[in-house]
Structure formats: C-alpha cells, structure tokens
Amino acid sequence: MSTLESGAGERTPDGGRAASDTSTGERVVGVRTLLPLFSLVAVTAVWGGTFVVVKDAVSQAPTMDFLAMRFLIATAALAALRPSRVTTLSRAGVKRGILLGMALGVAYIAQTFGLEHTSASLSGFITGMLVVFTPVIAGLVLRQRIGKVTWTAVAIAVAGLGLMTVHEFAVGPGELLTLVCAVFLALHIVGLGVWSPGHDAHALTVVQLAVAACICFAFGWWDGIDLPSDGGFWLALVGTAVIATAAAYVIQTWAQARLSLPQAAVVLTLEPVFACIFGVVFDHDELTTRIVIGGALVVGAMYLAELRSGSR
C-alpha cells in the first residue's frame, strides 16, 4: 500500500526500507524511529528557544542582515568542520541541495516580511499550517494517498496551534506572505524526505544553508549590511547560527531520512509549543489555559502521527 501512513517508520538507518510483517519487525522499526523522532523534537525545542533570543537581536539590527549573517556563519562553520564531505556530494546532490536551499531562503524571507504586517502569534499559527501543506504537496507530487489517520493528526495539530496563538484573524499582505512561508517550508520538508536518504546529511546541509545565505544577502545587500558591535548581539548571532541553524539543520536532514513526511511535519509543529514554554520561563509571558490545552493537542497529534496503530 503506497500511503503516507504506511511509509512512516519503515525506513532503516541507511535510508532503506525494513520489512515489518511480524510483530517483532514492527517493534524493531519502532525503536529505530525513536532516535530520529526525538532528535527532531530536540531541534524544535532549540528553534522554539531562539524566539526569545532572536527577538532581542533583531531589535538591534535589520532582520535581513541578521538572517544573512546567520546563514553565512552556519555555512562556514559546517564547511570548516568537515570540508571533505562537501566535495563528495554528487552533482545530483548539489542540485537538490540548491533547490532545498532556495525553498528555505524564500520561506525565511516571506516570514520576515510577513511579520512586518501581522502579529507574531498569528504568524506562528500560519507558519504551523505547514502540517497541512506537507501531506497535500506529498500527495500531489509523489502521488501517494493521504490516509485518514494522517488527516486526523493534522486536524488536531491545527486546532492546537489555533487555540494557542489565534486571538483574532484577518487576511492581509502579512498573512499572505506568511502563508507563502508555510508552503515553502512544506516543500522543504517534502524535498528532504525524498532526497536526504541518498545523500550525506552534512554535505547536503552545507549546500542548503549556503544558498539560503546567498538569497538573504541578495535581499539585505542593497542598503548595506549594518550590524552592531555589541557583544551580546554577536553572542546571539553566533549561537543561533551554530546551534539553531548549522547543527539543527544537519539533524533535521538526518532525521527526515528516517521518518515519514507526516511524522516530520507534525513534530515540527511543536516549535510554537516550545516557544511558548521558553517565553513563559524566560520572557515572563503569561501561561494561559489556551496555551496548555493547545500545546497538549499538538503533542497528542505528534503521538498519533508516530504510533498510528495499537501494534506500534
């Protein structure tokens, strides 16, 4: 059966498929998906934590300048760490990395400009709609049937995100740009799911981040790159570049070679949940009942997308 649900948990660590026609086989496959699953959860926790850091950093410098330098430092750090890995990437891998980087760069730029015309909470909700677009795009591009359990998990995740973030809804240029961001993030997730199993995660990530850096520089260079000399700003910039960008995208690329597209999409909706947690702990945001219930729904959606049946 060629469904998005049936593909979940079937990839082995080397990107192949594992047979699971016995209960023992199903348990082995389930264990093999735990490490990439929790690794991707850790990535969303890091991204959620950066909201507090980045909010302070971009108040001191133009957002596009910050993004351009963030991607540039991340690319340089990864390339310097394992320079030989990049040269081993095949021509097909380079082309795919370029396409993935373009999707990533456009998503960040659309979200950045969208934030100038909409609230952060509504931006978070619309960006989280990638959980809807991912199975739809996968179904159209890969011609795979979207299962009922997948749609159930998607609906629960969207309801949880909406409960957490949406206080009032309006459609304007900011919302439309953020919707573009969600579509391109979904394209990035689908592309990683299809292409990452056949390529080195480190090398593929370097190409992605380099392309994203070039795109951000193209948008920020026209009025010059203007960054402050403040030590706290550069600590935030380097920290987000090395940890939340370089390391995080290597882990995401590696994990998505071992998870299904619906699993990855639903797990990534945990980012606003962690953002709320860090906001409450470090930025003194109010912890409301809406946030608690909404976060529980998103976590429940992730659980449903991972397990899918009582035998797993």
Side-chain angles (χ1 to χ4, degrees), residues 11-104:
R11 289 191 177 101
T12 62
D14 60 359
R17 295 282 178 177
S20 57
D21 52 347
T22 66
S23 60
T24 302
E26 288 180 348
R27 286 196 296 270
V28 171
V29 171
V31 170
R32 286 175 175 174
T33 63
L34 285 180
L35 180 57
L37 180 74
F38 286 121
S39 297
L40 198 57
V41 171
V43 167
T44 65
V46 170
W47 285 340
T50 60
F51 273 80
V52 177
V53 177
V54 172
K55 186 174 76 171
D56 294 334
V58 296
S59 66
Q60 304 177 54
T63 305
M64 292 309 304
D65 296 358
F66 178 85
L67 284 178
M69 289 302 298
R70 173 180 171 176
F71 280 115
L72 179 62
I73 294 172
T75 303
L78 285 181
L81 183 63
R82 291 180 175 180
S84 60
R85 288 292 186 92
V86 181
T87 60
T88 61
L89 194 62
S90 66
R91 182 175 298 180
V94 173
K95 291 180 179 178
R96 290 168 177 176
I98 290 173
L99 291 174
L100 291 170
M102 291 172 63
L104 197 62

Side-chain angles (χ1 to χ4, degrees), residues 194-240:
V194 175
W195 291 333
S196 57
H199 301 286
D200 180 80
H202 189 99
L204 193 61
T205 304
V206 170
V207 176
Q208 292 180 69
L209 298 184
V211 172
C214 290
I215 294 175
C216 290
F217 266 108
F219 275 81
W221 194 265
W222 64 275
D223 60 347
I225 301 297
D226 183 19
L227 299 175
S229 58
D230 178 70
F233 170 84
W234 281 95
L235 181 62
L237 176 59
V238 174
T240 55

Side-chain angles (χ1 to χ4, degrees), residues 124-138:
F125 169 72
I126 298 175
T127 301
M129 292 295 288
L130 64 88
V131 74
V132 176
F133 294 128
T134 297
V136 171
I137 291 173

Side-chain angles (χ1 to χ4, degrees), residues 246-268:
Y249 278 108
V250 167
I251 294 173
Q252 183 192 8
T253 301
W254 174 84
Q256 277 206 237
R258 295 153 177 83
L259 297 173
S260 75
L261 296 176
Q263 281 178 306
V266 173
V267 169
L268 290 174

